[in-house]
Amino acid sequence: MLKHAGQTSAAVTLRYESRAVVVTVTDEGSGGSSGEGSGVFRSNTVIAPGHGLIGMRERAKVYGGSVTAGPRALGGFEVRLVLPAPTTGAPRPV
């Protein structure tokens, strides 16, 4: 998030549904399409290049899930991971 959104806050939501687990990460940052963010955040640590959304989508697909990402209507950005939940009689976390 810091790499693209600049200095901002984020919210992480974990939701259990009958057939899926949904993880949503949202921020109010101003990350641009260039992938370099707003340039506001300056860190003393080097942020290594990664595979970003492509890598997330590939990893989710291995487990039968999906990742969607994009700008939010009121600003900021959202990344959503959906993974299938076990359909056996296994107990769900509370």
Side-chain angles (χ1 to χ4, degrees), residues 15-45:
R15 188 175 72 238
Y16 294 95
E17 298 179 351
S18 62
R19 298 188 180 269
V21 176
V22 181
V23 180
T24 306
V25 180
T26 57
D27 70 38
E28 297 174 356
S30 58
S33 60
S34 68
E36 295 303 320
S38 66
V40 174
F41 179 77
R42 298 285 187 254
S43 173
N44 292 329
T45 60

Side-chain angles (χ1 to χ4, degrees), residues 13-92:
T13 305
L14 178 62
R15 188 175 72 238
Y16 294 95
E17 298 179 351
S18 62
R19 298 188 180 269
V21 176
V22 181
V23 180
T24 306
V25 180
T26 57
D27 70 38
E28 297 174 356
S30 58
S33 60
S34 68
E36 295 303 320
S38 66
V40 174
F41 179 77
R42 298 285 187 254
S43 173
N44 292 329
T45 60
V46 175
I47 300 175
H51 299 287
L53 294 173
I54 293 171
M56 288 184 218
R57 287 182 177 120
E58 289 173 352
R59 289 187 293 276
K61 187 176 179 182
V62 166
Y63 296 100
S66 64
V67 170
T68 57
R72 298 183 329 153
L74 298 176
F77 202 79
E78 177 178 284
V79 177
R80 181 177 299 226
L81 165 68
V82 179
L83 292 173
T87 56
T88 63
R92 290 182 4 183

